[in-house]
Every structure is written in C-alpha cells, then in structure tokens.
Amino acid sequence: MTTPPPLTGIRVLEFAGLAPGPFAGLLLADYGATVLRVDRATTTVQSTGLPPPTADLLTRHKSSIAVNFKSLKGLALIKDLVKHVDVVIDPFRPGVLEKLGLGPEEVLMKLNPQLVVGRMTGFRREGKYSQMAGHDINYIAVSGVLSMLGRAHEKPLPPGNILGDFAGGGLMCLWASYWRYSLELGAGRAR
C-alpha cells in the first residue's frame, strides 16, 4: 500500500509569472498539491477551440485558466477562488497585486484568513532595489554569489537561472508553504 504524497489535499492558486513562481507551483504539485495556474487572458485571440499546448515545462501536473485581471468579472472569479485555496503564489513585482485590487493584507487574507501567500521578488519588497527587475543574474551579482562562480583570477561564469530563480525563489516558496502546513497538521489546525 502506498501513501499519498505529503501535500495531498493542499490547494494552490498560482499566478503565472517567470521562473520562481511556476517552479514553486510545480514542486507543490509534484508533492501532491492541487495547483491551478491563472494566466492573463489575451484579448487579441478569439477562439472556440482548445489553445495550443504550451512549451513551458513548469506547467506539469497543473490545471490552468485564463482570466482578465482588469475586468470586474475576472477579479470576482479570482476572489472566489481565493476562498477555496490554501496557498497563493504571487510572482509579480511589489505592488502589482495591490494595483489589481488583490493586496494580500487588504483583500486576500480577509477573504481567507488561513491563506499562505508566497510573494517572490528578485529583491526585497522595500528598499533601494525593490522596483528593479529581478532577473537571476542581477540578484546573484548584487548579493556577491556570482563572484564565487568560476576559476580564480577569471571572470565569473553565470550559472543560468538555477541559483536565484529556482533555488532562491521557487524552492524557498515551496518549503515555506510545506513548513507552514506541516506545523498546522501537527497542531490539528489543518483545514
């Protein structure tokens, strides 16, 4: 008899974004969580057929929907979904969810007080670099990690986006979510 994956029963709403958010959602799904990816609806394509398959390998084991974030119906749908999930993955720059009317403290946590919100940015949410684009190469360079990669007395060798985006962002979001729910399960407070 096999046991279910450790995150079976956890429901995740993942806003589609760059590498760390989808990677966190992928790992949560791989560990048994049910992940619904929310893509921004494109208004240029009108079709009644199925969309073409995506080449994005980070969508494995996920369901997905496309929502117009700028419409009242789209925002109402997202707010309704938030009431029924355990984790929200926010991959946006600071202030984007707030501008959409979906700020975690102002809206999401009021709709669902037990919600875990994983907010990923390349840099802190406040401070000198908070509005700077958070590309892997930028923040591993600013942190000094890039200088440790490569041979002595040569220029550093960039590692692709595996250190900052995947290890630093996505993996930390996964483990923070898992840790929070394992604590609640142990205390008998899981939903």
Side-chain angles (χ1 to χ4, degrees):
M1 180 176 188
T2 61
T3 59
L7 297 180
T8 298
I10 300 296
R11 296 162 306 225
V12 179
L13 185 67
E14 172 198 318
F15 288 104
L18 297 176
F23 181 63
L26 173 78
L27 292 176
L28 290 164
D30 284 350
Y31 280 90
T34 301
V35 179
L36 177 62
R37 175 182 161 119
V38 180
D39 289 288
R40 291 180 193 236
T42 57
T43 56
T44 56
V45 178
Q46 297 293 324
S47 173
T48 56
L50 293 173
T54 179
D56 185 352
L57 299 176
L58 299 175
T59 60
R60 180 179 69 217
H61 298 151
K62 300 177 189 177
S63 300
S64 67
I65 57 172
V67 176
N68 182 348
F69 294 173
K70 295 183 180 181
S71 76
L72 293 177
K73 286 183 181 180
L75 290 175
L77 174 62
I78 291 170
K79 289 176 183 177
D80 188 51
L81 290 169
V82 164
K83 295 175 188 175
H84 306 283
V85 299
D86 304 297
V87 177
V88 167
I89 298 174
D90 167 16
F92 305 126
R93 286 186 187 185
V96 171
L97 278 185
E98 288 79 2
K99 285 179 189 171
L100 291 171
L102 297 170
E105 292 81 17
E106 304 82 9
V107 178
L108 302 181
M109 300 296 288
K110 290 183 178 169
L111 293 170
N112 183 347
Q114 300 298 314
L115 191 65
V116 174
V117 180
R119 304 191 87 180
M120 287 173 264
T121 63
F123 299 98
R124 295 171 47 145
R125 299 198 71 74
E126 64 277 331
K128 155 173 155 176
Y129 297 123
S130 66
Q131 296 302 313
M132 190 169 142
H135 301 293
D136 191 282
I137 193 71
N138 299 47
Y139 40 86
I140 66 170
V142 169
S143 69
V145 171
L146 184 60
S147 68
M148 297 186 293
L149 304 174
R151 296 180 177 151
H153 310 294
E154 292 183 14
K155 290 182 180 179
L157 298 172
N161 62 343
I162 60 169
L163 285 180
D165 281 342
F166 288 93
L171 196 56
M172 290 303 105
C173 181
L174 163 78
W175 289 117
S177 300
Y178 181 73
W179 178 74
R180 162 89 188 268
Y181 275 96
S182 65
L183 287 178
E184 289 189 4
L185 287 170
R189 291 192 303 262
R191 295 190 287 155

